[in-house]
């Protein structure tokens, strides 16, 4: 029985981790998620805070590819969605701690044609999220943060007594002349070392989406095998960042590590209790065709809609017809998707492009689906837990100082980077390509420097809480494509065709 | 029913996805498909479907060897069918799918689109077979459950329709196609407020840029407000819909229903004429003819009925037909009960949804077969639907069968609603009660 379980787990793990190439960030992976934008988890990040090594920061991004100028209501969070962050702290794949976020929307000026107006018709510019200067915020959202101990059921409202406002999208300089100030106003210190932020921000993900989706058609001078110069560059792009200029809705939470570990203490990296497994999710009330006595939108148990642990699993590994099943199920049940992992499609694709890949089964990828060294050096075989798509983070590994962080994270020796958690700077697309390629098996034999040539975020990174950048301006934002400027690593900054 | 079917189809094909992706600057290609006869567009302002069509054509132009462009085109054309109520777009979509299948035979996504087209063409039995095959191929595909829901529902298998819709809701709570399917079933099950609530949820989760989709949802919400007599709320919703998507045929038609409920028949005629000129669907001509008669334009009504009969007979042997309207035309207006029953039997042979059962029951009734008529209308009403016409028909059938208690009960339920049939039921109920008291 134990052997069978191990085999199934192994097979599942392979698939969970292997074909991370086919879709990059989870920008619309599942058929139905694509029809439920506000509940679509695009990316999930978890890392030891750069500013405070005793804290962990979680970032849950939802609602993909928001065009900054897309008024009049822009991109409010969905009142009927519960946004969720989960932490497993005892290596069993089942969450022990949860943070829930619920939003409330008020329309303060129902007759107004748009959600936001400023410097127009007697309405002052929007300079504040509340009080004077907030008159033009017709559409305004507040939210709550609740921490739940899933063992005891104890629920704690972390913002007790404090009104938290979500930061609206950046409409433009006339309406919001000092957007940075509004952004900063959306950062809340809740006490006890907890900080929170919610709002529309610049999407931190970066990738040459167009080239990738065009059947892996990268510019010939760039990818998919990067030159040593491009590969070593952490700060310039050689191909267009297709997500540049787009926004995303982001919830950022920073909490002390001691709030997350199983015993409430901080542990060294060598201790298995330092390692947590995390994922972000969205949920809606369960609805039945036959009406219940209570309103659907506000009653009944929540049911998970979408989730993300490691980047790219649902997008790249799970078959189209099963993505919704994967989305609504829990990580601890991921062994049911084993068949998708036995023969990683993405590895076969790489092989078809002439890239050497190891033969199946891909045991090398197990590290990402279970608690194992080197992310969990203190874990023995008995601590591996079930195969589960969790983003594992060793909270005992200190953050790499800003400036020394490497886009290729853990596989480049920057141990605080993906797949030991995930930071905004981590180039998960390139890292995943190389993992599929087999770099964990033999970095010489299977170590071609694969990548898309998009090595950094066009808008840059925020190195302090909330670790995301303010939203792009609806009035002035631009996107980047082939033949356009925006590739700083190329002559004249012109992106290759 | 066509209008509801159309959105359900749309909501479960990749067209919605396409349109959602094509927001703002991501997809701003100008359409070259605009026609001067389409009420829903102008050259300067292509509809979402037209934009999607143009985008798909551009994709095909760039990569003619890839099936994906043809799938995009097919889904955009299905969407265009809903925007315009023009069935010809389904045929064009079918052509695109044929090309796609030549390039990539047996592609799962393509097969789903093909089922959508079958549903749009009212080929429900074939669609059901194909959807069941896809369901076996991929047991957890939500879209396939959506296709199944529509097919079962249109064929009158509400139990299986409910099961399929519940799968959709379970697999992805709150997803738009599931909400719309469930809303439709709730309406059929008589849960009007519950149906409205789901439509409201669907509306709330529809991006503001999706004008046509929002207009459709507003129209359905307005539709649910008409029968209970809340015409003010209905009108507000429908005006909102027409602001979002001007001249939208489904909204125009529903607003005409409001006008009829308000007894503003002349205005209803104007609206229904506008809709018929825009879409020229045969069933729409029947509605226009009825409104003309209500407005007292007997000559024009007669002419419209005659034209309707001619056109309806031409399409009578197709699955996408106006047979239900034709049955009522023969039964209530032309006074040719035998013809009504012949058409009704033809329709009943392949579908047993509540509206077909009603039409069949009514045809039996006007032919004096009230025992069988009673069985059929009872079967329809057991589903739970609260429709003034069905209640009135049930009342009249019961009355003819000699069951005055049941007749009163049904007529009262019809009279409590606020449609043209309610008005008729009130008259008949008063007559019945008056007769008894005498």
């Amino acid at each position: 029985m134990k052997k069978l379980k191990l085999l199934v787990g192994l097979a599942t793990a392979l698939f969970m981790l292997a074909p991370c190439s086919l879709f990059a960030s989870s920008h619309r992976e599942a058929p139905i998620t694509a029809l439920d934008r506000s509940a679509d988890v695009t990316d999930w990040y978890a890392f030891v805070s750069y500013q405070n090594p005793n804290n962990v920061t979680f970032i849950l991004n939802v609602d993909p590819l928001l065009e900054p100028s897309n008024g009049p209501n822009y991109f409010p969070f969905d009142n009927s969605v519960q946004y969720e962050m989960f932490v497993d702290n005892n290596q069993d794949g089942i969450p022990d701690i949860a943070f829930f976020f619920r939003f409330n929307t008020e329309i303060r000026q129902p007759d107004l044609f748009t959600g936001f107006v400023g410097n127009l018709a007697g309405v002052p510019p929007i300079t504040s999220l509340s009080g004077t200067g907030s008159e033009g915020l017709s559409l305004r959202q507040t939210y709550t943060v609740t921490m739940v101990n899933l063992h005891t059921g104890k629920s704690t409202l972390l913002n007790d007594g404090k009104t938290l406002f979500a930061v609206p999208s950046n409409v433009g300089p006339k309406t919001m002349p000092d957007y940075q100030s509004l952004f900063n106003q959306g950062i809340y210190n809740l006490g006890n070392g907890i900080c929170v932020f919610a709002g529309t921000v610049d999407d931190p993900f970066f990738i040459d989406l167009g080239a990738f989706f065009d059947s892996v058609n990268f510019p010939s001078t760039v990818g998919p095998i990067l030159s040593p110069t491009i590969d070593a560059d952490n700060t310039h792009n050689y191909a267009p960042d297709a997500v540049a200029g787009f926004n995303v809705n982001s919830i950022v939470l920073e909490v002390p590590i001691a709030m997350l570990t199983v015993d409430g203490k901080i542990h060294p990296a060598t201790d298995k209790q330092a390692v947590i497994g995390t994922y972000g999710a969205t949920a809606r009330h369960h609805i039945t065709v036959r009406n219940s006595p209570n309103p659907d939108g506000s009653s009944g148990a929540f049911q998970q809609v979408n989730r993300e642990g490691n980047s790219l699993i649902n997008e790249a590994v799970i078959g189209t017809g099963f993505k919704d099943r994967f989305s609504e199920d829990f990580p601890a049940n991921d062994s049911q998707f084993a068949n998708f992992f036995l023969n990683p499609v993405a590895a076969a694709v790489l092989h078809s492009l002439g890239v050497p890949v190891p033969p199946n089964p891909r045991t090398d990828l197990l590290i990402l689906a279970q608690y194992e060294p080197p992310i969990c050096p203190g874990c023995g075989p008995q601590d591996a837990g079930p195969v589960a798509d969790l983003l594992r983070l060793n909270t005992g590994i200190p953050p790499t100082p800003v400036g020394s962080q490497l886009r290729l994270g853990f596989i480049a020796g920057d141990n605080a980077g993906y797949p030991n958690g995930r930071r905004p700077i981590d180039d998960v697309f390139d890292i995943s390509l190389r993992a599929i390629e087999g770099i964990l098996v033999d970095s010489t034999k299977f170590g071609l420097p694969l990548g898309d040539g998009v090595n950094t975020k066009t808008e840059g990174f925020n190195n302090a809480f909330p670790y995301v950048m303010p939203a792009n301006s609806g009035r002035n934002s631009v996107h980047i494509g082939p033949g356009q400027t925006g590739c700083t690593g190329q002559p004249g900054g012109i992106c290759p065709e | 029913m066509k209008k509801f079917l159309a959105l359900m189809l749309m909501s479960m094909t990749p067209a919605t996805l396409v349109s959602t992706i094509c927001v703002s600057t991501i997809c701003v290609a100008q359409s070259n498909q605009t026609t001067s006869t389409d009420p829903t567009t102008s050259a300067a302002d292509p509809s979402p479907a037209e934009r999607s069509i143009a985008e798909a054509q551009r994709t095909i132009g760039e990569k003619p060897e890839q099936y994906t462009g043809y799938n995009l085109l097919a889904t955009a054309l299905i969407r265009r069918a809903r925007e315009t109520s023009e069935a010809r777009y389904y045929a064009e979509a079918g052509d695109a799918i044929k090309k796609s299948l030549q390039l990539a035979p047996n592609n799962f996504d393509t097969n789903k689109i093909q089922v959508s087209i079958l549903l749009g063409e009212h080929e429900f039995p074939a669609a059901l077979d194909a959807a069941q095959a896809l369901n076996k191929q991929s047991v957890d595909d939500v879209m396939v459950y959506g296709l199944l829901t529509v097919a079962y529902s249109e064929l009158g298998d509400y139990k299986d329709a409910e099961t399929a819709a519940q799968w959709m809701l379970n697999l992805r709570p709150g997803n738009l196609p599931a909400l719309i399917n469930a809303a439709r079933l709730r309406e059929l099950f008589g849960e009007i407020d519950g149906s409205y609530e789901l439509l409201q949820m669907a509306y709330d989760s529809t991006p503001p840029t999706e004008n046509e989709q929002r207009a459709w949802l507003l129209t359905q919400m307005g539709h649910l407000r008409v029968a209970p007599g809340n015409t003010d709320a209905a009108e507000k919703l429908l005006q909102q819909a027409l602001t979002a998507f001007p001249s939208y045929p489904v909204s125009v038609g529903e607003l005409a229903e409001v006008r009829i409920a308000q007894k503003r028949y002349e205005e209803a005629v104007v609206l229904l004429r506008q809709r018929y000129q825009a879409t020229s669907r045969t069933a729409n001509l029947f509605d226009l003819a009825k409104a003309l008669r209500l407005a007292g334009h007997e000559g024009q009504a007669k002419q419209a009925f005659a034209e309707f009969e001619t056109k309806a007979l031409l399409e009578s042997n197709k699955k996408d037909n106006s047979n239900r309207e034709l049955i009522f035309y023969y039964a209530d207006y032309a006074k040719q009960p035998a013809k009504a029953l012949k058409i009704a039997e033809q329709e009943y042979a392949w579908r047993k949804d509540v509206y077909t059962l009603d039409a069949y029951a009514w045809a039996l009734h006007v032919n004096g077969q009230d025992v069988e008529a009673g069985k059929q209308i009872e079967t329809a009403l057991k589903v739970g639907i609260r429709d003034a016409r069905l209640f009135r028909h049930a009342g009249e059938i019961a009355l003819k069968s000699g069951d005055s208690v049941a007749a009163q009960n049904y007529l009262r339920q019809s009279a409590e609603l606020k449609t043209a049939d309610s008005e008729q039921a009130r008259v008949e109920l008063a007559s019945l009660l008056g007769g008894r008291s005498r």
Side-chain angles (χ1 to χ4, degrees):
Chain A
M1 188 66 188
K2 193 174 175 184
K3 194 173 177 183
L4 176 65
K5 190 176 174 183
L6 181 64
L7 283 172
V8 170
L10 187 66
T12 305
L14 297 177
F15 260 67
M16 290 298 291
L17 305 170
C20 301
S21 70
L22 290 182
F23 283 51
S25 178
S26 175
H27 289 73
R28 307 232 166 130
E29 74 286 3
I32 291 299
T33 306
L35 302 176
D36 188 7
R37 293 184 56 109
S38 54
D40 187 354
V41 177
T42 67
D43 286 284
W44 168 246
Y45 303 83
F47 52 93
V48 176
S49 306
Y50 320 156
Q51 284 183 307
N52 186 348
N54 290 328
N55 285 6
V56 165
T57 298
F58 300 115
I59 304 175
L60 176 64
N61 285 350
V62 296
D63 205 348
L65 296 172
L66 301 176
E67 163 55 41
S69 63
N70 204 349
N73 292 318
Y74 296 87
F75 322 107
F77 288 92
D78 192 329
N79 291 0
S80 60
V81 171
Q82 178 166 277
Y83 300 89
E84 305 173 331
M85 299 175 176
F86 290 104
V87 176
D88 165 35
N89 60 20
N90 58 2
Q91 288 85 45
D92 64 359
I94 299 168
D96 305 291
I97 296 167
F99 299 94
F100 296 142
F101 302 79
R102 294 299 309 275
F103 288 81
N104 184 53
T105 305
E106 61 174 328
I107 303 294
R108 302 160 80 200
Q109 299 181 47
D111 295 332
L112 206 59
F113 72 98
T114 178
F116 313 98
V117 66
N119 259 331
L120 185 70
V123 180
I126 298 171
T127 56
S128 177
L129 299 178
S130 64
T132 305
S134 73
E135 295 85 347
L137 277 177
S138 176
L139 191 161
R140 189 171 66 173
Q141 292 196 296
T142 56
Y143 63 100
T144 58
V145 191
T146 306
M147 178 178 175
V148 180
N149 181 319
L150 297 172
H151 288 293
T152 64
K154 185 187 174 191
S155 176
T156 307
L157 189 63
L158 296 179
N159 62 298
D160 197 16
K162 198 165 197 170
T163 301
L164 309 177
F165 293 102
V167 176
S169 192
N170 182 355
V171 173
K174 182 179 176 186
T175 309
M176 300 172 173
D178 187 358
Y179 186 75
Q180 180 70 51
S181 168
L182 290 175
F183 179 84
N184 293 340
Q185 290 172 44
I187 298 170
Y188 295 98
N189 187 334
L190 304 182
N192 299 317
I194 304 168
C195 291
V196 68
F197 171 94
T200 304
V201 303
D202 170 56
D203 191 334
F205 192 66
F206 48 99
I207 183 176
D208 185 357
L209 214 51
F212 181 71
F213 280 128
D214 185 24
S215 305
V216 197
N217 184 15
F218 293 110
S220 57
T221 56
V222 179
I225 300 171
L226 305 179
S227 70
T229 304
I230 296 176
D231 188 40
D233 194 335
N234 283 285
T235 56
H236 296 93
N237 284 338
Y238 296 82
D241 169 13
V243 191
F246 287 102
N247 293 331
V248 73
N249 279 344
S250 191
I251 301 170
V252 189
L253 178 70
E254 181 172 311
V255 294
I257 292 170
M259 282 179 68
L260 304 175
T261 53
V262 68
D263 59 356
K265 295 176 182 171
I266 296 176
H267 295 270
T270 51
D271 188 335
K272 70 178 182 183
Q273 292 184 333
V275 181
I276 58 175
T278 71
Y279 69 103
T282 51
R284 289 185 180 278
H285 286 289
H286 181 66
I287 293 171
T288 56
V289 174
R290 297 282 179 178
N291 202 2
S292 66
N294 301 312
D296 296 302
S298 56
S299 66
F302 277 99
Q303 186 183 342
Q304 185 172 288
V305 175
N306 197 212
R307 63 166 159 135
E308 181 170 305
N310 284 289
S311 182
L312 316 170
I313 296 298
N314 195 1
E315 313 84 291
V317 176
I318 307 299
T320 303
F322 298 83
K323 288 179 188 294
D324 293 314
R325 167 73 67 190
F326 178 87
S327 295
E328 64 91 30
D329 214 332
F330 301 107
N333 298 329
D334 282 344
S335 61
Q336 68 185 293
F337 304 105
N339 286 339
F340 290 109
F341 296 86
L342 290 171
N343 298 291
V345 174
V349 170
L350 289 179
H351 188 62
S352 74
L353 296 172
V355 176
V357 295
N360 296 325
R362 296 293 303 277
T363 51
D364 55 302
L365 297 167
L366 201 55
I367 177 180
L368 295 177
Q370 292 187 294
Y371 292 96
E372 287 192 354
I375 292 172
C376 186
C379 288
Q382 72 281 4
D383 301 314
V387 167
D389 178 24
L390 298 171
L391 181 61
R392 288 160 176 82
L393 174 65
N394 189 326
T395 60
I397 296 176
T400 304
V402 172
S404 299
Q405 297 169 346
L406 301 176
R407 70 182 184 93
L408 295 175
F410 205 87
I411 63 171
D414 175 0
N415 291 343
Y418 185 74
N420 176 30
R422 180 185 173 190
R423 307 164 298 190
I425 193 177
D426 293 330
D427 190 346
V428 292
F429 180 72
D430 286 13
I431 296 170
S432 300
L433 272 184
R434 295 178 199 200
I436 295 161
E437 180 193 7
I439 195 168
L440 300 173
V441 176
D442 185 336
S443 61
T444 307
K445 200 172 173 185
F446 306 112
L448 286 174
L450 300 179
D452 62 354
V454 183
N455 294 352
T456 187
K457 186 65 209 169
T458 301
E459 291 84 1
F461 300 103
N462 185 352
N463 294 316
F465 187 87
Y467 298 101
V468 286
M469 295 288 280
N472 295 287
S473 162
R475 172 68 171 75
N476 298 324
S477 70
V478 292
H479 306 298
I480 297 173
Q484 299 171 331
T485 56
C487 293
T488 52
Q490 296 284 4
I494 305 297
C495 295
E497 300 280 354
Chain B
M1 292 320 94
K2 276 174 182 143
K3 55 195 175 186
F4 214 108
L5 174 62
L7 184 69
M8 285 197 280
L9 291 180
M10 254 321 300
S11 65
M12 71 191 71
T13 65
T16 308
L17 170 59
V18 172
S19 63
T20 309
I21 289 172
C22 293
V23 292
S24 302
T25 57
I26 307 174
C27 174
V28 293
Q30 291 295 303
S31 169
N32 56 7
Q33 296 296 303
T34 306
T35 63
S36 57
T37 55
D38 280 345
T40 53
T41 61
S42 66
D45 185 20
S47 73
E50 287 181 305
R51 286 200 299 271
S52 298
I53 289 169
E55 183 69 12
Q57 288 171 331
R58 188 184 63 77
T59 303
I60 291 170
E62 288 174 358
K63 297 161 190 163
E65 75 287 356
Q66 291 189 7
Y67 74 94
T68 47
Y70 293 97
N71 284 4
L72 289 173
L73 180 60
T75 51
L77 286 163
I78 293 171
R79 179 171 198 166
R80 188 69 183 139
R82 188 184 78 196
E83 285 184 350
T84 61
S85 299
E86 290 284 356
R88 67 186 164 93
Y89 288 109
Y90 288 119
E92 293 181 29
D95 292 341
I97 286 303
K98 275 180 198 162
K99 185 68 183 170
S100 174
L101 287 170
Q102 284 171 9
L103 294 168
N106 268 327
N107 180 276
F108 190 75
D109 287 331
T110 312
N111 288 337
K112 284 194 286 187
I113 300 169
Q114 195 167 36
V115 178
S116 297
I117 295 168
L118 286 171
L119 289 171
E121 293 174 335
H122 291 202
E123 297 286 350
F124 302 126
L128 179 60
D129 289 346
Q132 285 172 331
L134 290 176
N135 185 234
K136 280 180 187 163
Q137 199 176 332
S138 179
V139 294
D140 280 338
D141 190 293
V142 174
M143 295 299 188
V144 172
Y145 282 110
L147 299 170
L148 285 169
T149 304
V150 176
Y152 281 130
S153 181
E154 291 296 326
L155 289 169
D157 183 351
Y158 297 110
K159 188 170 176 290
D160 284 334
E162 182 182 348
T163 302
Q166 192 60 58
W167 265 106
M168 296 182 81
L169 289 166
N170 292 348
L171 278 170
R172 186 57 63 97
N175 76 79
L176 197 59
L179 290 177
I180 293 168
N181 274 283
R184 175 62 181 149
L185 288 173
R186 282 187 177 181
E187 184 188 356
L188 290 167
F189 297 160
E191 296 181 356
I192 304 301
D193 289 343
S195 177
Y196 188 92
E197 185 182 9
L198 293 185
L199 290 171
Q200 180 73 59
M201 289 170 68
Y203 179 78
D204 290 343
S205 63
T206 302
T209 48
E210 291 297 319
N211 292 345
E212 187 264 344
Q213 193 156 300
R214 286 165 78 88
W216 190 94
L217 289 162
L218 288 165
T219 302
Q220 291 309 312
M221 291 157 74
H223 160 75
L224 293 177
R225 288 290 178 252
V226 177
N230 196 347
T231 49
D232 288 347
E235 171 144 11
K236 194 174 173 187
L237 289 160
L238 293 166
Q239 296 294 3
Q240 262 183 278
L242 287 165
T243 302
F245 202 66
S247 304
Y248 194 22
V250 293
S251 308
V252 170
E254 203 58 47
L255 188 57
E257 291 298 318
V258 172
R259 294 288 175 259
I260 289 170
Q262 293 167 330
K263 300 183 182 175
R264 292 159 65 177
Y265 301 125
E266 290 291 354
E267 291 170 70
V269 165
V270 171
L271 290 165
L272 290 171
R273 203 186 294 281
Q274 178 190 339
R275 183 181 68 166
Y276 181 63
Q277 284 170 350
T279 65
S280 70
R281 285 192 70 85
T282 307
N284 294 347
L285 185 54
F286 183 63
D287 290 340
L288 174 60
K290 287 193 296 180
L292 284 164
R293 174 167 279 190
L294 286 169
H297 303 295
E298 197 58 43
Q300 290 180 54
K302 197 174 172 186
Q303 195 179 348
F305 275 130
E307 188 183 343
F308 162 75
E309 182 185 7
T310 304
K311 288 190 168 182
L313 284 172
L314 284 174
E315 62 189 31
S316 181
N317 288 325
K318 298 176 186 169
K319 287 286 194 295
D320 187 5
N321 57 48
S322 301
N323 280 351
R324 289 197 295 233
E325 290 79 7
L326 192 57
I327 293 163
F328 292 121
Y329 166 71
Y330 282 132
D332 295 338
Y333 297 93
K335 304 298 181 191
Q336 298 181 57
K339 286 187 178 177
L341 187 55
K342 186 183 171 198
I343 301 291
E345 284 170 340
Q346 178 186 324
E347 203 66 5
Y348 178 77
W350 71 281
R351 60 186 305 195
K352 294 175 177 58
D353 61 286
V354 290
Y355 300 102
T356 300
L357 291 179
D358 172 49
Y360 181 46
W362 195 240
L364 288 164
H365 166 71
V366 297
N367 281 277
Q369 300 179 39
D370 284 295
V371 175
E372 183 60 24
K375 285 181 191 168
Q376 296 300 336
I377 197 71
E378 288 286 348
T379 303
L381 289 172
K382 270 183 193 161
V383 173
I385 186 169
R386 297 191 55 76
D387 183 292
R389 188 177 69 191
L390 268 71
F391 281 133
R392 180 175 68 78
H393 286 169
E396 293 194 30
I397 291 167
L399 189 61
K400 194 79 177 294
S401 302
D403 188 346
S404 62
V405 175
Q408 275 184 53
N409 178 36
Y410 287 132
L411 290 172
R412 187 169 288 117
Q413 290 187 73
S414 180
E416 283 168 2
L417 299 170
K418 305 284 188 300
T419 68
D421 281 282
S422 311
E423 185 71 19
Q424 214 171 326
R426 273 191 286 278
V427 172
E428 286 160 9
L429 184 62
S431 168
L432 176 63
L433 293 172
R436 201 176 64 169
S437 66
R438 279 195 297 273

